[in-house]
Structure formats: C-alpha cells, structure tokens
Amino acid sequence: MKSLVFALIAFGTLALFNPDQADFSSFIAERAQTIASDNAREASGGLLSAGSSVVGSLTQALASNLFERKSYVVFSTYEQAFDGGQEGWKFLGMGGQFFELNRPDTLGG
C-alpha cells in the first residue's frame, strides 16, 4: 500500500511540474542568450555584447512556432525538424527541467 501511495505522489508531482510551451520558450531564449553572449565574449576578447539579449528575445518569440510539443502527462518532448527529413533538435521536459536529447548534425552534435 505504501508503494502505491508513493507512486501516486511521484506521478502527481511529475504531472504538476510538467513544463509547458511557455516554459520551454523561456528555456530556449535563455540558452540562446547564453550561447550568443559566450560567442560575443570570445570574439571581442571578453567584452559583453548587448546583441545577446536581442537573440534571446527573438528566440523566445520563435520557439513556440519552431518546436512541436508532445505532452505525456508526466513529461513532454519538444521537437524541431529540418526540411528534407533531417533530424533536428529534441528536448525532454520533466520536473521543470529540460534535457537535450538530440542536436542537429549541422551544429556539431
């Protein structure tokens, strides 16, 4: 009986913290901003670029249109495929966190 209660509590908690599309868009924007900032820092020898915040904002606006969300109650997948059938990015969202499952070959995955 205790294991059933524990399983129900775990299931309910994961379902409660299953990230939605807005959460994913924010995650992608933060990630794009970090990458842009790191690239700008490398290119400028340590100077920060204001362009990274613009990249983050644009990415957040596009993320909901570029990625398809599939919800499985306790977790969600977010997929972006390229034209021509090439596999794109794939992320797993679970417990309020996101994990990269696949990176496009063109990005050095």
Side-chain angles (χ1 to χ4, degrees):
M1 182 66 177
K2 288 182 182 180
S3 60
L4 177 62
V5 171
F6 176 75
L8 289 173
I9 290 171
F11 184 84
T13 302
L14 288 173
L16 181 66
F17 290 103
N18 183 7
D20 62 13
Q21 188 68 42
D23 296 328
F24 181 72
S25 294
S26 296
F27 162 75
I28 287 294
E30 289 174 21
R31 185 172 180 151
Q33 189 171 352
T34 300
I35 290 169
S37 179
D38 290 347
N39 289 341
R41 193 176 300 117
E42 277 182 28
S44 65
L47 298 175
L48 293 177
S49 171
S52 65
S53 62
V54 172
V55 168
S57 298
L58 290 174
T59 304
Q60 184 172 10
L62 292 172
S64 61
N65 294 323
L66 295 175
F67 288 85
E68 179 184 355
R69 178 182 187 252
K70 293 180 184 173
S71 178
Y72 299 95
V73 182
V74 296
F75 69 92
S76 294
T77 59
Y78 301 83
E79 293 185 61
Q80 184 266 326
F82 291 108
D83 291 337
Q86 178 187 358
E87 271 194 56
W89 261 307
K90 186 172 184 177
F91 292 89
L92 171 72
M94 187 166 136
Q97 302 294 314
F98 295 96
F99 307 95
E100 185 176 20
L101 300 177
N102 187 55
R103 179 181 293 200
D105 293 334
T106 56
L107 295 176

